[in-house]
């Protein structure tokens, strides 16, 4: 199984379980900003961990794309939309 398919399947399972946990925590009274901070912090942490472990699993090197103002605008927009989407999870 190629690494991309495995990543997508595991990502779907982890995201759906995280979604259920966030909804349950929200119903128990956890603040939305706590849930967003936790999601972002642990998501970034595990991305770094799994990225470093699986870096050369498929025989290719991972590189960062060249940095430009336009690419950072895309990253900022994606982060902003992700925060809005996760905020809406609780409502």
């Amino acid at each position: 199984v190629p690494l991309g398919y495995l990543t997508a399947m595991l990502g779907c399972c982890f995201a759906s379980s995280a979604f259920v946990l966030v909804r349950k925590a929200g119903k128990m009274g956890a603040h939305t900003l706590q849930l967003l901070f936790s999601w972002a912090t642990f998501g970034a942490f595990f991305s770094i961990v799994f990225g470093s472990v699986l870096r050369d699993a498929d025989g290719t090197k991972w590189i960062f794309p060249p940095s430009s103002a336009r690419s950072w605008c895309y990253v900022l927009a994606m982060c902003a939309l992700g925060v809005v989407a996760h905020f809406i999870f609780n409502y």
Side-chain angles (χ1 to χ4, degrees), residues 6-38:
L6 178 64
T7 304
M9 288 185 284
L10 287 175
C12 288
C13 291
F14 287 138
S16 61
S17 63
F19 177 71
V20 169
L21 290 174
V22 165
R23 292 292 295 170
K24 285 184 180 270
K27 299 283 185 194
M28 292 173 51
H31 196 273
T32 302
L33 293 179
Q34 289 174 318
L35 300 174
L36 289 175
F37 178 77
S38 176

Side-chain angles (χ1 to χ4, degrees), residues 30-85:
H31 196 273
T32 302
L33 293 179
Q34 289 174 318
L35 300 174
L36 289 175
F37 178 77
S38 176
W39 183 290
T41 302
F42 289 109
F45 173 73
F46 284 114
S47 294
I48 292 168
V49 168
F50 288 135
S52 64
V53 169
L54 299 175
R55 179 178 311 168
D56 297 322
D58 61 351
T60 60
K61 297 282 185 190
W62 286 17
I63 60 167
F64 286 106
S67 183
S68 69
R70 185 178 194 122
S71 64
W72 282 110
C73 287
Y74 288 142
V75 170
L76 180 64
M78 189 148 90
C79 290
L81 291 173
V83 166
V84 170

